[in-house]
Amino acid sequence: MELDGRVAVVTGGTRGVGAGIARAFLGAGAQVVVCARRPPDEPVEAAGRKAGFRPVDLRAPDAVADFFAGVAESYGRLDVLINNAGGTPYRLLEEGGADRHTRVIELNLLAPMNASLAAYPHLKKVRGSIVMIGSVSGTRSSPGTAAYGAAKAGLENLTRSMAVEWAPDVRVNTLVLGMVRTELSHLHYGDEEGMASVARTIPAGRMAEPSDVGDAAVFLASSKAAYVNGASLLVHGGGERPAFLDAANVNDSEGN
């Protein structure tokens, strides 16, 4: 899965999952550019190498087009785009107002589409690859993050359509993530006790680490996945145990 000589862009790659993906690509030999609206507090680095940083607002199509043109000119090529930037605060539908929910959809669905469209002509030249970072929130109900879940569901459908339209020149796949432990996990799951309780609901017994996501992204971008296109790869530790199994008593010793 070596990516020597390849050039990869990781959106939102300055922290959390994005930084984990960037480190994995650095470790695989790629030249990596991370982008966000603000620079990282510390350089993203791995294997004695550092990722470059360029600022961009992914919701501004003209700026995004200029960004990718600049990367291709500076590095001579573009092989991989990881559409990682996204996220949302917890907000019930009736509490946010339409404008706030719309901004969530812009960041998590329209921004990846903008980036993919801008990167496409550069990726096409080298038969490159796009990896979307999806979420299990797009495959089930997502109370408190409804707009986010809707955007991630749309992202998977967008991936499948792109994969058909752009084949065989550019492969497009999705990593569907479950819960990932990052420096911001406490905002979603609480303190260490809360995160440990959440981890116990996952069959794997732990949350994913950013490096787990990075390794999966490297695979999808590599020649090892040359025939994988339009796919959704679940990276969720086995998913979620169905709640009815704990509520039902048919298999309890007292219930028999």
Side-chain angles (χ1 to χ4, degrees), residues 109-198:
L109 178 57
L110 299 184
M113 183 172 68
N114 289 341
S116 299
L117 288 168
Y120 172 69
H122 309 290
L123 295 169
K124 182 179 179 180
K125 293 177 181 177
V126 295
R127 290 213 164 186
S129 173
I130 297 173
V131 179
M132 305 288 195
I133 302 302
S135 170
V136 294
S137 294
T139 64
R140 55 156 169 75
S141 59
S142 188
T145 55
Y148 175 81
K152 290 299 187 180
L155 192 66
E156 280 200 70
N157 189 276
L158 178 65
T159 293
R160 290 191 288 270
S161 296
M162 280 183 175
V164 173
E165 288 195 22
W166 292 353
D169 297 317
V170 177
R171 293 186 300 109
V172 191
N173 294 290
T174 303
L175 289 179
V176 181
L177 306 188
M179 290 172 279
V180 185
R181 186 182 177 104
T182 72
E183 63 268 34
L184 298 179
S185 291
H186 64 281
L187 299 178
H188 300 279
Y189 311 120
D191 58 15
E192 287 295 326
E193 182 179 350
M195 286 188 277
S197 296
V198 170

Side-chain angles (χ1 to χ4, degrees), residues 7-127:
V7 177
V9 166
V10 183
T11 69
T14 59
R15 65 182 184 181
V17 171
I21 294 171
R23 293 187 187 103
F25 275 80
L26 288 169
Q31 297 184 77
V32 179
V33 179
V34 298
C35 65
R37 286 183 294 174
R38 292 177 293 275
D41 294 332
E42 298 179 355
V44 178
E45 55 188 328
R49 303 168 62 240
K50 294 181 180 180
F53 169 78
R54 297 191 178 201
V56 67
D57 184 348
L58 293 167
R59 291 168 294 188
D62 290 342
V64 172
D66 290 342
F67 165 81
F68 281 104
V71 169
E73 181 178 359
S74 297
Y75 290 84
R77 59 190 292 153
L78 175 64
D79 298 90
V80 183
L81 166 61
I82 309 295
N83 276 312
N84 165 77
T88 184
Y90 182 89
R91 182 182 293 122
L92 295 174
L93 279 169
E94 69 272 16
E95 294 177 352
D99 287 346
R100 289 190 177 183
H101 296 304
T102 297
R103 287 198 291 271
V104 171
I105 293 173
E106 288 175 346
L107 177 61
N108 292 280
L109 178 57
L110 299 184
M113 183 172 68
N114 289 341
S116 299
L117 288 168
Y120 172 69
H122 309 290
L123 295 169
K124 182 179 179 180
K125 293 177 181 177
V126 295
R127 290 213 164 186

